[in-house]
Amino acid sequence: MTNTVSIEIDGKKILAKEGATLIDAARDAGISIPHFCYHKKLSVAANCRMCLVEVEKMPKPVPACATRVADGMKVFLHSELVLGAQKAILEFLLINHPLDCPVCDQGGECRLQDLSMRYGGTRSRTREAKRVVSPKDIGPLVSMREMSRCIHCTRCVRFCREIAGLAELGVVGRGGDSEIAAFAGRSVDSELSGNLIDVCPVGALTSKPFRFRARAWELCRRPSISPHDSFGTNVALDVKDERVVRVLPRENEEINECWLSDRDRFSYEGLNSPDRLKKPLIRIDGALREVEWNSALDYAAHALKSLVEAHGADALASLASPSATLEEIHLLQKLTRALGSGNVDFRPRRRDFSTDGHRSGIPWLGMRIAEIAELDAALVVGSFPRKDNPLFALRLRQLAKKAGRVSMLSLADDDPRIDLAARVAVRPSELPAALEAILRAFARSHGEKEPGSRVLSDTTAPYAETDAIRAIAESFAGAKKSAIFLGAGAEHSPTAGRIHAIAGAFARASGARLGFIGDAANGVGGYVAGALPTGLNAYEMFAQPRKVYLLHGVEPELDCHNPAQSLFALRHADLVVAVTPFVGETTLEYADVVLPAAPFSETSGSFVNTEGRVQSFEGACRPLGESRPAWKIFCALGRLLGLPGFDYASSAAVRDEILVSTAFEGREGVGEIGRVGRVGWVEGLDNALDEAFAPREAHPAAAGALERVSDVPIHFSDAIVRRAAALRETKDAAAPEARMHPTTLEDLKISDGERVRIRQASGSSGAFGASGASGETTLTARSDTSLPEGCVRVAAAHPSTAALGDMFGTLTVERA
Amino acid sequence: MAILGAIDPILTKGLDADASDVSDAWRCRAYVDRGGYAALRKIVSEKIPPARVIAEVKKSALRGRGGAGFPTGLKWSFMPSDYDGDKYLICNSDEGEPGSFKDRDLLLLNPHAVIEGMVIGAYAIGAKRAYHYIHGEIPEACARFLEALDEARAAGFVGSDILGSGLCVEIAVHRGRGAYVCGEETAMLESLEGKRGQPRNKPPFPAASGFYGAPTTINNTETFAAVPFVLSMGADAYLAAGKPGNGGTKLFSVSGHIERPGNYEVPLGTPFGTLLELAGGVRAARALKACIPGGTSAAVLPAEVMMNLAMDYDSISRAGSMLGSGAVIVLDETTCMVGALEAITCFYQRESCGQCSPCREGTRWMHRIVRRIENGEGRPGDLETLEDIARNISGRSICALGDAASAAVQGFLKHFRGEFAHHVERGECLVPREVQREGCRLREISKEASTP
Amino acid sequence: MMLTRESLEKIDREIAKYPEGRKQSAVMAALAVAQDEKGFLSDEVIEFVAGLLGMAPIAVREVASFYAMYKYKKEPSGKTRLTVCTSLPCRLSGADEVAETLKEKLGIGWGETTPDGRVTLVEGECMGACGDAPVALIDDTRMCCRLTREGVDAVLREIG
């Protein structure tokens, strides 16, 4: 409990937290003090001097952002001294600020414009020439063309260092000649770079994709939830002419604070991609042709029915994208089961399903998002946090800043821009053993007997207890609140179950919590929607090809664990019905019916994020062309197929059915769900495994075999993102390369930059051994010391690697 | 380089121009012969507690010689005595204010006094590490100090076991690289931390949060140099050398239109006329027009005010200016006040760190207007605008640089407005160009004083 | 290696001056050492120094661009940099005349470099030596005091 002090602002008594700054205390009391450089999430700079206020007994006005409250303090915001200071500061700031508001993107939502109108003078007294600052190029997302508009508040500089974790911008030069610049003209490559646009109080840093597209007052701002990662970031969609033209963060302290990842901010371009399908397509005489909805639905229903009748319900498999809405996933599984098939799933990138049926509940983060930064120690296993979930990485960064200890057990030493206590990078096949080594080291140093449970006695070789392993174990010593987070690399691993079990054992031993970071908007929602297979899972449904596929929002050739295998099955199926907003070239090859579905921005629905929070949203604009909300499409199909229970009046009705049938509670005073901003929490979240769980047998990689390390590049993670034009120009969207440790390259007698042919079994495979057909691709070899030896990092989810097999497995490399 | 004159000197006793040989007087041996390191020896051998050292310094009314004139003993007493971690002491030799050049001579002539003062100061505040921040543009003085430091270390006055007492004070030199603003103590801290020398917002003051957040005391070179003398002669005697509240002597750097520019040590409270006379009077016996008594940050004062002024903190403050670092810039009748102010405003706009809006924008704006007036392109209203800008900067910037630039402009306009108005109206100076040039003519002087 | 062993040892000694884990404090000295060796600071050198001290390159560039005595590659710079003080006390003692003479004899203006690349003439601010006005600084290491017309000739001979 913090103490409060009593202060007086313009004669009004307010209570303030002891140690608070005046500007914060005033804001908490609903009083705003004008400012430019102050930002509640950044360190205090006190350089703009706009927030000068008068404090009784102080000879000079003081900056409210840098002055702490003291009991009995009397503050004046409207005295002559203060008004004079404000007017003077604005005059100073405007001396060199171009008067180009009519052509400035910030016009209408500019702090300098607003405060000048309110506090500034009416005429300019300067006769001197204005400063001209040369334009800078920091990449495809943020424009630094009009740097003459900069007022030197340094918010951008502080943002890079304090929030994004790396100084990418700085103040170069001195005095009136100083300017904001990146080092040696480099680009700003932070995955959070778009926030620079928001923190800039003027029009110096603007959005490149949005530039000159619209004026602030022409936009309709609609609340929504971002579909690209497991956090459910709160966004505002700015709509003009029924198109999303900009995405901004909606502040939510519990989730995204006031930040947005670049993926969430700039993915909207994908919504307006030329790949958007406007009318239903059906295959007629070998070619897909546009038809009316009635014909398409009739055709799909008829074909589904007759093929299921002819080949049995097991011939049908359905796969939903984990970024589809709760309602859509639910209706897809309901439809599939009503047709008699249990072959339904929503986890296309998963390989090991051994925990199905053995979980005590729905796998989740294990805590609230806001609790991450409160931990004393955290171990992140199998994740590239910045690229998997930028805001998760941000929370870890906050945790490290508060002197908490963050360590990583990963598949490559990517720079997380977090001060790490310890880190180990291992080959994918070594991950369980390395985690076990941490557990053993921890147990021994805590005088406990060696944990020797069944799960741990592994067939793989034990991992040596290195200093780094011990350091990770040690980082948990004495921690009151600690956690182990399993990332995408752990969840997609062929030994995911074993990793889960060992992590669970470590959590029990150390008193830590176990959590799944999650890799999609509805990673938890899919479970809530009841979309777990009772037949074939997401991997098996392609490994054992079906006659009929019903796809929703997925592009299996990019989204599945084994794209080549998935594509093979789809190409040989009798019927593929794709419900999707997009129609890519590959979809055109295998789909027989394509039903244009509205993406998240054009439909209502809900996401359940990785902390179990249900967030519902409405469509922000009308569905494009003739596309329809997918929940309506599934309802129509259900009705046409004569199935009961598809008469929903709204997506909310679907949701209410799900949340009543699964345990659900609107807790913590958040209450009623159903409206944006109102949330509830699902129940039944539990990361424990039951006693009967037996991990899937992992076939060790053959000695000397090269192991594939794969990740899902941040800007290829789903169908919307990979169609966003500006994101595709970022460094993060560079074409995949075959990255190897220099020693590995040397062993292969391949040099950095050479083209290499990668071959990988694409057929049904064991864990790290493989058999069957093989796929190949040609990539550029790249030396990369961040990788363990004996590995080749080849990204998944990219067309250039789609011919390959499992995300993890062995492969061969030879000079092309 | 020498002390060109003195009245009852303390710091530079035996080092003035009249002394027979100053070439080796800076050395440790010579300093010890003059009674140097006796104060430190006494503290160490008699185990005088830090609180008593501080009390003595307080009693002497020694005030900071860097410009602000803050009582030194009081500053030291702000240091928390119960702080667990390392505390730091910093000596500020980042002298860059136009007109001020005393630290350079002090380091060349009497570096051991500075070292002894630093060691005593570190002892008093409980610091084991001390840094000496030396202005980048005075390489010779820096080299001299480093040589003296080696001597002091060899003699056991500095290091991990001072005079066998177990007392530890390490001194390291950190060189500035050309930024006037680093003379501001919090900018100096930033610079010491390897950052741009941008002043911090205060509070917190360095005694609470200084070098890397630890309690830190920063004093000027001359202040430290005075400390051994305060202790060896006793606070009362030191105080008596000056006047109440303004203890001791002060080095005055006299420059500009003066016959013998240089440093002069005189008791605080010495009449300006006496100092002027000591420095040989106004150059070429011309008439005094004005004087800037404490470096360009101080307001200019006209001759008639100056000639009735005693040179101490309080007297000059009452006259509407300040003693500052004791940099006395003499302006004779040939001076164009607009030109002089142009030089001053140019300095501030170049040296503004650029961090806060009033100083970054205001100093540049003021300079442009003054430059325009000087170039004969003044416009009606310029002087009012100029005054307004100066007022608008004052008290609103992060550090005192903005205030200094503002005070300079306000001082010139207050006392010489007519001259500025003449410039604006006529586009030319009251003082003919040839006269101005004559006043500033390069002077051939004796060989040994020219290029070293 | 970007810098010689000798320079690296100098930088190590500078790092040792500061408390444990405070390498950044040595950045000003490290840049000075690098500049002494290379004659100026290039982006490559700045990045190298950043690596030595565990700093982001832009943070080192920020420092290098703040202090007047660092020479950055992209700014025109001759073999010798001659900085003439133009602060008030020097002006009152003939700095303008010194400057005019230098400009005339070198045939360049402020901030310019002689066509043969030998000398860059820079307008400087107070060097803390006003008693010796007018003063100039050769390569930030040697100060020329009480300049006269003859003194200016001597300076030119020395750097010429």
Side-chain angles (χ1 to χ4, degrees), chain A residues 280-295:
Chain A
L281 304 175
I282 60 175
R283 195 168 295 278
I284 302 169
D285 299 333
L288 285 170
R289 296 178 199 281
E290 286 191 353
V291 293
E292 295 306 317
W293 266 104
N294 283 348
S295 318

mmCIF file with all atom_site columns, all heavy atoms in Angstrom, chain A residues 280-295:
data_model
loop_
_atom_site.group_PDB
_atom_site.id
_atom_site.type_symbol
_atom_site.label_atom_id
_atom_site.label_alt_id
_atom_site.label_comp_id
_atom_site.label_asym_id
_atom_site.label_entity_id
_atom_site.label_seq_id
_atom_site.pdbx_PDB_ins_code
_atom_site.Cartn_x
_atom_site.Cartn_y
_atom_site.Cartn_z
_atom_site.occupancy
_atom_site.B_iso_or_equiv
_atom_site.pdbx_formal_charge
_atom_site.auth_seq_id
_atom_site.auth_comp_id
_atom_site.auth_asym_id
_atom_site.auth_atom_id
_atom_site.pdbx_PDB_model_num
ATOM 1   N N   . PRO A 1 280 ? -17.802 -16.297 -54.742 1.00 0.00 ? 280 PRO A N   1
ATOM 2   C CA  . PRO A 1 280 ? -17.501 -17.725 -54.589 1.00 0.00 ? 280 PRO A CA  1
ATOM 3   C C   . PRO A 1 280 ? -16.994 -18.310 -55.907 1.00 0.00 ? 280 PRO A C   1
ATOM 4   O O   . PRO A 1 280 ? -17.338 -17.835 -56.988 1.00 0.00 ? 280 PRO A O   1
ATOM 5   C CB  . PRO A 1 280 ? -18.841 -18.350 -54.227 1.00 0.00 ? 280 PRO A CB  1
ATOM 6   C CG  . PRO A 1 280 ? -19.691 -17.222 -53.751 1.00 0.00 ? 280 PRO A CG  1
ATOM 7   C CD  . PRO A 1 280 ? -19.227 -16.009 -54.480 1.00 0.00 ? 280 PRO A CD  1
ATOM 8   N N   . LEU A 1 281 ? -16.149 -19.339 -55.767 1.00 0.00 ? 281 LEU A N   1
ATOM 9   C CA  . LEU A 1 281 ? -15.615 -20.035 -56.940 1.00 0.00 ? 281 LEU A CA  1
ATOM 10  C C   . LEU A 1 281 ? -15.940 -21.519 -56.812 1.00 0.00 ? 281 LEU A C   1
ATOM 11  O O   . LEU A 1 281 ? -15.887 -22.072 -55.720 1.00 0.00 ? 281 LEU A O   1
ATOM 12  C CB  . LEU A 1 281 ? -14.088 -19.902 -57.013 1.00 0.00 ? 281 LEU A CB  1
ATOM 13  C CG  . LEU A 1 281 ? -13.463 -18.509 -57.015 1.00 0.00 ? 281 LEU A CG  1
ATOM 14  C CD1 . LEU A 1 281 ? -11.940 -18.620 -56.957 1.00 0.00 ? 281 LEU A CD1 1
ATOM 15  C CD2 . LEU A 1 281 ? -13.889 -17.750 -58.274 1.00 0.00 ? 281 LEU A CD2 1
ATOM 16  N N   . ILE A 1 282 ? -16.288 -22.130 -57.941 1.00 0.00 ? 282 ILE A N   1
ATOM 17  C CA  . ILE A 1 282 ? -16.343 -23.590 -57.920 1.00 0.00 ? 282 ILE A CA  1
ATOM 18  C C   . ILE A 1 282 ? -15.648 -24.120 -59.166 1.00 0.00 ? 282 ILE A C   1
ATOM 19  O O   . ILE A 1 282 ? -15.520 -23.423 -60.179 1.00 0.00 ? 282 ILE A O   1
ATOM 20  C CB  . ILE A 1 282 ? -17.785 -24.155 -57.827 1.00 0.00 ? 282 ILE A CB  1
ATOM 21  C CG1 . ILE A 1 282 ? -18.636 -23.703 -59.007 1.00 0.00 ? 282 ILE A CG1 1
ATOM 22  C CG2 . ILE A 1 282 ? -18.447 -23.766 -56.530 1.00 0.00 ? 282 ILE A CG2 1
ATOM 23  C CD1 . ILE A 1 282 ? -20.019 -24.368 -58.985 1.00 0.00 ? 282 ILE A CD1 1
ATOM 24  N N   . ARG A 1 283 ? -15.117 -25.334 -59.018 1.00 0.00 ? 283 ARG A N   1
ATOM 25  C CA  . ARG A 1 283 ? -14.375 -25.916 -60.126 1.00 0.00 ? 283 ARG A CA  1
ATOM 26  C C   . ARG A 1 283 ? -15.359 -26.496 -61.140 1.00 0.00 ? 283 ARG A C   1
ATOM 27  O O   . ARG A 1 283 ? -16.150 -27.380 -60.820 1.00 0.00 ? 283 ARG A O   1
ATOM 28  C CB  . ARG A 1 283 ? -13.415 -26.997 -59.621 1.00 0.00 ? 283 ARG A CB  1
ATOM 29  C CG  . ARG A 1 283 ? -12.376 -27.399 -60.636 1.00 0.00 ? 283 ARG A CG  1
ATOM 30  C CD  . ARG A 1 283 ? -11.266 -28.238 -60.009 1.00 0.00 ? 283 ARG A CD  1
ATOM 31  N NE  . ARG A 1 283 ? -10.464 -27.509 -59.031 1.00 0.00 ? 283 ARG A NE  1
ATOM 32  C CZ  . ARG A 1 283 ? -9.455  -26.698 -59.340 1.00 0.00 ? 283 ARG A CZ  1
ATOM 33  N NH1 . ARG A 1 283 ? -9.111  -26.510 -60.606 1.00 0.00 ? 283 ARG A NH1 1
ATOM 34  N NH2 . ARG A 1 283 ? -8.771  -26.083 -58.401 1.00 0.00 ? 283 ARG A NH2 1
ATOM 35  N N   . ILE A 1 284 ? -15.332 -25.948 -62.314 1.00 0.00 ? 284 ILE A N   1
ATOM 36  C CA  . ILE A 1 284 ? -16.197 -26.427 -63.393 1.00 0.00 ? 284 ILE A CA  1
ATOM 37  C C   . ILE A 1 284 ? -15.294 -26.780 -64.557 1.00 0.00 ? 284 ILE A C   1
ATOM 38  O O   . ILE A 1 284 ? -14.492 -25.955 -64.982 1.00 0.00 ? 284 ILE A O   1
ATOM 39  C CB  . ILE A 1 284 ? -17.220 -25.357 -63.821 1.00 0.00 ? 284 ILE A CB  1
ATOM 40  C CG1 . ILE A 1 284 ? -18.078 -24.948 -62.623 1.00 0.00 ? 284 ILE A CG1 1
ATOM 41  C CG2 . ILE A 1 284 ? -18.085 -25.860 -64.975 1.00 0.00 ? 284 ILE A CG2 1
ATOM 42  C CD1 . ILE A 1 284 ? -18.940 -23.727 -62.862 1.00 0.00 ? 284 ILE A CD1 1
ATOM 43  N N   . ASP A 1 285 ? -15.365 -28.000 -64.988 1.00 0.00 ? 285 ASP A N   1
ATOM 44  C CA  . ASP A 1 285 ? -14.525 -28.477 -66.083 1.00 0.00 ? 285 ASP A CA  1
ATOM 45  C C   . ASP A 1 285 ? -13.048 -28.170 -65.817 1.00 0.00 ? 285 ASP A C   1
ATOM 46  O O   . ASP A 1 285 ? -12.320 -27.665 -66.665 1.00 0.00 ? 285 ASP A O   1
ATOM 47  C CB  . ASP A 1 285 ? -14.925 -27.816 -67.422 1.00 0.00 ? 285 ASP A CB  1
ATOM 48  C CG  . ASP A 1 285 ? -16.359 -28.149 -67.764 1.00 0.00 ? 285 ASP A CG  1
ATOM 49  O OD1 . ASP A 1 285 ? -16.826 -29.222 -67.308 1.00 0.00 ? 285 ASP A OD1 1
ATOM 50  O OD2 . ASP A 1 285 ? -17.017 -27.335 -68.431 1.00 0.00 ? 285 ASP A OD2 1
ATOM 51  N N   . GLY A 1 286 ? -12.626 -28.426 -64.596 1.00 0.00 ? 286 GLY A N   1
ATOM 52  C CA  . GLY A 1 286 ? -11.208 -28.286 -64.277 1.00 0.00 ? 286 GLY A CA  1
ATOM 53  C C   . GLY A 1 286 ? -10.769 -26.880 -63.928 1.00 0.00 ? 286 GLY A C   1
ATOM 54  O O   . GLY A 1 286 ? -9.646  -26.684 -63.487 1.00 0.00 ? 286 GLY A O   1
ATOM 55  N N   . ALA A 1 287 ? -11.637 -25.887 -64.116 1.00 0.00 ? 287 ALA A N   1
ATOM 56  C CA  . ALA A 1 287 ? -11.215 -24.526 -63.789 1.00 0.00 ? 287 ALA A CA  1
ATOM 57  C C   . ALA A 1 287 ? -12.155 -23.919 -62.761 1.00 0.00 ? 287 ALA A C   1
ATOM 58  O O   . ALA A 1 287 ? -13.355 -24.196 -62.770 1.00 0.00 ? 287 ALA A O   1
ATOM 59  C CB  . ALA A 1 287 ? -11.182 -23.672 -65.049 1.00 0.00 ? 287 ALA A CB  1
ATOM 60  N N   . LEU A 1 288 ? -11.594 -23.089 -61.911 1.00 0.00 ? 288 LEU A N   1
ATOM 61  C CA  . LEU A 1 288 ? -12.435 -22.414 -60.927 1.00 0.00 ? 288 LEU A CA  1
ATOM 62  C C   . LEU A 1 288 ? -13.135 -21.239 -61.587 1.00 0.00 ? 288 LEU A C   1
ATOM 63  O O   . LEU A 1 288 ? -12.506 -20.438 -62.281 1.00 0.00 ? 288 LEU A O   1
ATOM 64  C CB  . LEU A 1 288 ? -11.578 -21.925 -59.750 1.00 0.00 ? 288 LEU A CB  1
ATOM 65  C CG  . LEU A 1 288 ? -11.118 -23.010 -58.772 1.00 0.00 ? 288 LEU A CG  1
ATOM 66  C CD1 . LEU A 1 288 ? -10.089 -22.450 -57.792 1.00 0.00 ? 288 LEU A CD1 1
ATOM 67  C CD2 . LEU A 1 288 ? -12.297 -23.617 -58.012 1.00 0.00 ? 288 LEU A CD2 1
ATOM 68  N N   . ARG A 1 289 ? -14.445 -21.175 -61.393 1.00 0.00 ? 289 ARG A N   1
ATOM 69  C CA  . ARG A 1 289 ? -15.201 -20.088 -61.988 1.00 0.00 ? 289 ARG A CA  1
ATOM 70  C C   . ARG A 1 289 ? -16.054 -19.406 -60.935 1.00 0.00 ? 289 ARG A C   1
ATOM 71  O O   . ARG A 1 289 ? -16.512 -20.040 -59.990 1.00 0.00 ? 289 ARG A O   1
ATOM 72  C CB  . ARG A 1 289 ? -16.130 -20.637 -63.087 1.00 0.00 ? 289 ARG A CB  1
ATOM 73  C CG  . ARG A 1 289 ? -15.369 -21.236 -64.239 1.00 0.00 ? 289 ARG A CG  1
ATOM 74  C CD  . ARG A 1 289 ? -16.359 -21.808 -65.269 1.00 0.00 ? 289 ARG A CD  1
ATOM 75  N NE  . ARG A 1 289 ? -15.671 -22.758 -66.137 1.00 0.00 ? 289 ARG A NE  1
ATOM 76  C CZ  . ARG A 1 289 ? -14.902 -22.413 -67.150 1.00 0.00 ? 289 ARG A CZ  1
ATOM 77  N NH1 . ARG A 1 289 ? -14.712 -21.153 -67.441 1.00 0.00 ? 289 ARG A NH1 1
ATOM 78  N NH2 . ARG A 1 289 ? -14.299 -23.333 -67.876 1.00 0.00 ? 289 ARG A NH2 1
ATOM 79  N N   . GLU A 1 290 ? -16.263 -18.125 -61.140 1.00 0.00 ? 290 GLU A N   1
ATOM 80  C CA  . GLU A 1 290 ? -17.099 -17.379 -60.207 1.00 0.00 ? 290 GLU A CA  1
ATOM 81  C C   . GLU A 1 290 ? -18.540 -17.804 -60.363 1.00 0.00 ? 290 GLU A C   1
ATOM 82  O O   . GLU A 1 290 ? -19.033 -17.957 -61.483 1.00 0.00 ? 290 GLU A O   1
ATOM 83  C CB  . GLU A 1 290 ? -16.994 -15.879 -60.501 1.00 0.00 ? 290 GLU A CB  1
ATOM 84  C CG  . GLU A 1 290 ? -15.690 -15.285 -60.055 1.00 0.00 ? 290 GLU A CG  1
ATOM 85  C CD  . GLU A 1 290 ? -15.692 -13.767 -60.097 1.00 0.00 ? 290 GLU A CD  1
ATOM 86  O OE1 . GLU A 1 290 ? -16.675 -13.186 -60.594 1.00 0.00 ? 290 GLU A OE1 1
ATOM 87  O OE2 . GLU A 1 290 ? -14.709 -13.171 -59.617 1.00 0.00 ? 290 GLU A OE2 1
ATOM 88  N N   . VAL A 1 291 ? -19.199 -18.012 -59.232 1.00 0.00 ? 291 VAL A N   1
ATOM 89  C CA  . VAL A 1 291 ? -20.625 -18.354 -59.266 1.00 0.00 ? 291 VAL A CA  1
ATOM 90  C C   . VAL A 1 291 ? -21.337 -17.564 -58.183 1.00 0.00 ? 291 VAL A C   1
ATOM 91  O O   . VAL A 1 291 ? -20.701 -16.914 -57.359 1.00 0.00 ? 291 VAL A O   1
ATOM 92  C CB  . VAL A 1 291 ? -20.846 -19.871 -59.026 1.00 0.00 ? 291 VAL A CB  1
ATOM 93  C CG1 . VAL A 1 291 ? -20.299 -20.695 -60.174 1.00 0.00 ? 291 VAL A CG1 1
ATOM 94  C CG2 . VAL A 1 291 ? -20.238 -20.300 -57.696 1.00 0.00 ? 291 VAL A CG2 1
ATOM 95  N N   . GLU A 1 292 ? -22.656 -17.655 -58.192 1.00 0.00 ? 292 GLU A N   1
ATOM 96  C CA  . GLU A 1 292 ? -23.438 -17.008 -57.152 1.00 0.00 ? 292 GLU A CA  1
ATOM 97  C C   . GLU A 1 292 ? -23.323 -17.840 -55.881 1.00 0.00 ? 292 GLU A C   1
ATOM 98  O O   . GLU A 1 292 ? -23.038 -19.035 -55.916 1.00 0.00 ? 292 GLU A O   1
ATOM 99  C CB  . GLU A 1 292 ? -24.910 -16.897 -57.580 1.00 0.00 ? 292 GLU A CB  1
ATOM 100 C CG  . GLU A 1 292 ? -25.129 -16.001 -58.775 1.00 0.00 ? 292 GLU A CG  1
ATOM 101 C CD  . GLU A 1 292 ? -24.535 -14.597 -58.588 1.00 0.00 ? 292 GLU A CD  1
ATOM 102 O OE1 . GLU A 1 292 ? -24.694 -14.031 -57.489 1.00 0.00 ? 292 GLU A OE1 1
ATOM 103 O OE2 . GLU A 1 292 ? -23.885 -14.102 -59.532 1.00 0.00 ? 292 GLU A OE2 1
ATOM 104 N N   . TRP A 1 293 ? -23.581 -17.189 -54.762 1.00 0.00 ? 293 TRP A N   1
ATOM 105 C CA  . TRP A 1 293 ? -23.483 -17.861 -53.468 1.00 0.00 ? 293 TRP A CA  1
ATOM 106 C C   . TRP A 1 293 ? -24.352 -19.114 -53.412 1.00 0.00 ? 293 TRP A C   1
ATOM 107 O O   . TRP A 1 293 ? -23.926 -20.168 -52.947 1.00 0.00 ? 293 TRP A O   1
ATOM 108 C CB  . TRP A 1 293 ? -23.880 -16.901 -52.339 1.00 0.00 ? 293 TRP A CB  1
ATOM 109 C CG  . TRP A 1 293 ? -22.684 -16.206 -51.739 1.00 0.00 ? 293 TRP A CG  1
ATOM 110 C CD1 . TRP A 1 293 ? -22.312 -14.926 -51.961 1.00 0.00 ? 293 TRP A CD1 1
ATOM 111 C CD2 . TRP A 1 293 ? -21.720 -16.767 -50.841 1.00 0.00 ? 293 TRP A CD2 1
ATOM 112 N NE1 . TRP A 1 293 ? -21.164 -14.644 -51.260 1.00 0.00 ? 293 TRP A NE1 1
ATOM 113 C CE2 . TRP A 1 293 ? -20.778 -15.760 -50.552 1.00 0.00 ? 293 TRP A CE2 1
ATOM 114 C CE3 . TRP A 1 293 ? -21.561 -18.037 -50.264 1.00 0.00 ? 293 TRP A CE3 1
ATOM 115 C CZ2 . TRP A 1 293 ? -19.704 -15.964 -49.699 1.00 0.00 ? 293 TRP A CZ2 1
ATOM 116 C CZ3 . TRP A 1 293 ? -20.483 -18.239 -49.412 1.00 0.00 ? 293 TRP A CZ3 1
ATOM 117 C CH2 . TRP A 1 293 ? -19.556 -17.216 -49.139 1.00 0.00 ? 293 TRP A CH2 1
ATOM 118 N N   . ASN A 1 294 ? -25.591 -18.968 -53.881 1.00 0.00 ? 294 ASN A N   1
ATOM 119 C CA  . ASN A 1 294 ? -26.515 -20.109 -53.804 1.00 0.00 ? 294 ASN A CA  1
ATOM 120 C C   . ASN A 1 294 ? -25.935 -21.340 -54.470 1.00 0.00 ? 294 ASN A C   1
ATOM 121 O O   . ASN A 1 294 ? -25.950 -22.441 -53.917 1.00 0.00 ? 294 ASN A O   1
ATOM 122 C CB  . ASN A 1 294 ? -27.846 -19.773 -54.500 1.00 0.00 ? 294 ASN A CB  1
ATOM 123 C CG  . ASN A 1 294 ? -28.669 -18.881 -53.606 1.00 0.00 ? 294 ASN A CG  1
ATOM 124 O OD1 . ASN A 1 294 ? -28.345 -18.712 -52.425 1.00 0.00 ? 294 ASN A OD1 1
ATOM 125 N ND2 . ASN A 1 294 ? -29.726 -18.295 -54.177 1.00 0.00 ? 294 ASN A ND2 1
ATOM 126 N N   . SER A 1 295 ? -25.411 -21.113 -55.678 1.00 0.00 ? 295 SER A N   1
ATOM 127 C CA  . SER A 1 295 ? -24.852 -22.237 -56.431 1.00 0.00 ? 295 SER A CA  1
ATOM 128 C C   . SER A 1 295 ? -23.663 -22.817 -55.692 1.00 0.00 ? 295 SER A C   1
ATOM 129 O O   . SER A 1 295 ? -23.510 -24.042 -55.582 1.00 0.00 ? 295 SER A O   1
ATOM 130 C CB  . SER A 1 295 ? -24.384 -21.780 -57.811 1.00 0.00 ? 295 SER A CB  1
ATOM 131 O OG  . SER A 1 295 ? -25.312 -20.899 -58.366 1.00 0.00 ? 295 SER A OG  1
#
